Structure formats: structure tokens, C-alpha cells
Amino acid sequence: MAGIVSYGTYIPRYRIKVEEIAKVWGENAEAIKNGLGVYEKSVADVDEDTATISVEAAREALSRAKIDRGQIKAVFVGSESHPYAVKPTATIVGEALGIDNFYHCADLEFACKAGTAGIQNCFAMVSSGMIKYGIAIGADTSQSAPGDPLEYSAACGGAAFIIGSDDVIAEIKDTLSFTTDTPDFWRREGQPYPSHGRRFTGEPAYFKHVLNASREIMRRNGMSPEDFTYAVFHMPNGKFPVRVAKMLGFSRKQIEQGLVVRYIGNTYSGSSLLGLSAVLDVAKPGDRILLTSFGSGAGSDSFIIEVTENIESFERSPKVWEKIKKNRVYIDYGLYSKLRKKIRL
């Protein structure tokens, strides 16, 4: 039985409200909030980046798992905002965690689903007996051009998952991927901000991939939405996951616990994984979870996860929603621009 042994999360404490961004660009904040379903977002401080976010999330996962760090034999960091164009983030994480030097290591990129791709890699390696434990991380400090619609949602944060076969708190019953060459979102080397196909990012990209991956994994396992306690979908905004859940036949109750995007924004590679973490914070033995990520370019990874009895003795504090609501400091657009390096000398 291979699955999730532990998890940890990190969300920067700085937040900026939609009203603050809209004020600068002379836009209607209420219309934007209603349209996106996002009210505020997390912002990385000057000393926070994908590497530090990954380290903090992984440290929490390790402290909760109470396993020998020498047994970690794989570290994968999924992100589209790695600090270096040429220099792995995963080696920084491995060194900071203090694990030995004999481990598989790689940075992954697939827009917002690079973190779930890391979980699939670890799951395959554990299931084959190649390694005992692996860490998969999804973290981002996502970029958005000044005045671009992405400014209201592109956020910072991440989650780390330890995958193994001992003391599993949530078994991964099945996983699959649905992939096409769909250019809905991109950023070329050297460009500071990404470009996107606006409405093209919806039907041909997000909805096509999430629907196909979710439907196929349920079909091949003979399951329906009624067989799940929770569902988590990638959250580019607050409206898309609600809409895709309805299209698939899931209720609002099934997705509400994991719908963290409204108060922290889209943390890209960390988005669906932070949602899954929020669900695991309250899940009970026997609960089933459907997780489907999405990454532009484009693809979706889908998982069927079943919570085990081990969750009852697992340390789950501080919980994701506690971090979202209690640990926040609001900033203005000036400081936000400085921290996100939108002001360049």
C-alpha cells in the first residue's frame, strides 16, 4: 500500500486585497471579486521564494512524519518559478533538510501540475520498491504583469508530501494523466511575465483536461461522484473549480473544504496540493478524495485517494485554514510591487 505518509504546507503571511489592486488600475473591485471568486492573495516577502517555501513545507512534513531523514531517497520540486534558470531547486531543499547525498533529485516543470507530477514519480518509485520514501513538492511565487488580470490571482505558497508504504495516512488507489499540446499559457526564457490566451484558457484548456482526467479515472475504477467524500480541483480562480465540480456531478459540500483559492489566490504548482492538504486536515478514515490538478500547456493528473486509520494519530496542526485566516498581514500596492520586483531600476 503506497500513499501519503505525511504532508506540510507553507503560505506567506503577506496578503493583498483585490480592492487594493483594483484601486490602482481604476477597476471595479466588486465586479472582479464576483467574476473571479478571489478576494485576496498571498504575497512572498523579500526573503521568500520557491526554494524557501519548499523547505518550510517539507520541514513540516518531516516533523509530522517522525521518520529517519536518511530513508528519504527522492526529492522532486515542481514549480514554474524556480529561483534559477540553470541550477536545481531540489538540491537546495535536500541540503536544507539534512538528508544524505544518495537520493534521486530533480526539478519538474509543467505549469501548475508539476507538484502532482512529483507525487506520481514518488508513487511509482515506492510502488516498484526502488525507494522507501520520497518527497514531492509543489511550490510557486507566480508572476503577473502590472495591470494584467492575473494580478488579482497569481499568488505564492506550496505544499510537500512524503510518499511511502509504511504508516500511510492516505492510500493512493489509482492515478492517471490526460495530456495535449494546448498553448493556453506560456512564458519564454528571459521574459519576466507570462502570456495567456484569456478565454481560451477555459474550455479548450482547463475544462477539457480536468473533465477528461476525472471522468476516466472514475470510469476505470467503476466509481461516481457519490463514492467520494471530497473532491479537489486545480484552482486558477474561485469559479473554475466550482463549475467543473458541478459539470462532473459533485456537490458544493464536497469541494468547499479544499477551496482555498478565495483567500490566498492561485499558488500554481501548490494550488491543488494546498487544497488536498486542507482536506486531509479534517478527513476521517474511509473518506475518499478525488484530486485532479491542471497545468497549462496542457495536462491534468488525477488521483483516487482513500484515507486510512493512521490519520487519527497523525499530527495535523496547524491546519491550512488556520494558516490562511490567522497568519496574515495586509500590504498596499506599493510594497506589493516592490516585493514582487515590479519596480525595476
Side-chain angles (χ1 to χ4, degrees):
M1 181 176 67
I4 299 166
V5 174
S6 182
Y7 64 97
T9 61
Y10 184 80
I11 303 167
R13 64 175 183 156
Y14 282 152
R15 312 292 161 80
I16 186 168
K17 293 186 177 183
V18 164
E19 287 87 346
E20 180 65 23
I21 300 173
K23 179 178 66 177
V24 170
W25 301 111
E27 296 182 330
N28 187 323
E30 289 304 314
I32 292 167
K33 288 193 291 185
N34 291 332
L36 289 178
V38 175
Y39 314 130
E40 57 192 67
K41 69 173 190 175
S42 55
V43 181
D45 203 344
V46 66
D47 60 348
E48 294 175 323
D49 61 14
T50 294
T52 64
I53 290 170
S54 298
V55 168
E56 291 300 322
R59 280 177 174 166
E60 183 173 78
L62 275 171
S63 68
R64 290 172 168 180
K66 299 178 177 60
I67 62 176
D68 179 7
R69 299 184 183 211
Q71 294 182 310
I72 302 292
K73 294 301 177 184
V75 177
F76 297 108
V77 179
S79 179
E80 63 178 76
S81 52
H82 291 286
Y84 296 94
V86 182
K87 163 69 176 83
T89 306
T91 56
I92 301 172
V93 175
E95 193 77 13
L97 295 179
I99 62 179
D100 68 29
N101 299 115
F102 293 97
Y103 64 96
H104 303 275
C105 183
D107 284 0
L108 303 177
E109 263 190 52
F110 197 138
C112 300
K113 83 169 190 75
T116 53
I119 290 179
Q120 288 179 323
N121 284 356
C122 287
F123 176 65
M125 296 174 82
V126 169
S127 298
S128 70
M130 187 175 180
I131 64 172
K132 187 171 181 63
Y133 296 106
I135 297 180
I137 301 168
D140 260 302
T141 54
S142 52
Q143 315 91 13
S144 57
D148 189 280
L150 285 176
E151 247 196 333
Y152 294 102
S153 59
C156 309
F161 286 78
I162 298 177
I163 307 300
S165 56
D166 293 342
D167 300 319
V168 171
I169 62 171
E171 182 184 0
I172 297 175
K173 309 291 285 188
D174 195 12
T175 181
L176 61 74
S177 300
F178 180 83
T179 312
T180 72
D181 182 20
T182 304
D184 60 308
F185 184 95
W186 65 95
R187 179 170 64 86
R188 287 191 177 274
E189 182 66 35
Q191 291 182 337
Y193 303 117
S195 301
H196 53 91
R198 294 184 179 267
R199 290 190 180 275
F200 185 73
T201 63
E203 298 298 339
Y206 179 88
F207 290 100
K208 176 180 178 178
H209 294 77
V210 173
L211 287 171
N212 274 286
S214 300
R215 285 170 175 161
E216 176 60 18
I217 200 168
M218 285 192 287
R219 184 202 65 78
R220 81 180 194 183
N221 285 276
M223 302 177 76
S224 65
E226 291 74 26
D227 295 311
F228 296 90
T229 312
Y230 300 100
V232 179
F233 305 104
H234 173 58
M235 295 167 274
N237 52 54
K239 291 298 182 72
F240 277 17
V242 173
R243 181 180 164 195
V244 83
K246 186 176 181 180
M247 293 169 75
L248 287 165
F250 288 91
S251 68
R252 183 64 179 252
K253 182 181 178 181
Q254 288 170 294
I255 65 168
E256 189 67 28
Q257 176 65 24
L259 203 60
V260 298
V261 65
R262 294 169 297 179
Y263 295 98
I264 60 171
N266 177 11
T267 53
Y268 284 36
S269 297
S271 177
S272 59
L273 296 187
L274 280 166
L276 175 60
S277 299
V279 165
L280 290 174
D281 281 344
V282 299
K284 299 176 181 178
D287 285 350
R288 291 196 189 104
I289 305 163
L290 176 70
L291 167 68
T292 304
S293 62
F294 171 75
S296 292
S300 282
D301 301 328
S302 199
F303 300 78
I304 292 176
I305 300 168
E306 186 169 326
V307 180
T308 74
E309 295 287 343
N310 294 324
I311 198 80
E312 297 284 15
S313 58
F314 183 76
E315 176 55 59
R316 293 187 270 184
S317 292
K319 300 181 187 297
V320 172
W321 278 105
E322 291 173 358
K323 295 179 181 180
I324 291 173
K325 294 293 182 71
K326 294 180 180 179
N327 183 32
R328 54 183 172 181
V329 176
Y330 291 107
I331 61 175
D332 61 20
Y333 192 86
L335 180 55
Y336 161 72
S337 299
K338 177 182 177 182
L339 295 175
R340 300 306 300 133
K341 298 180 172 60
K342 295 174 185 285
I343 301 172
R344 297 176 181 268
L345 298 178

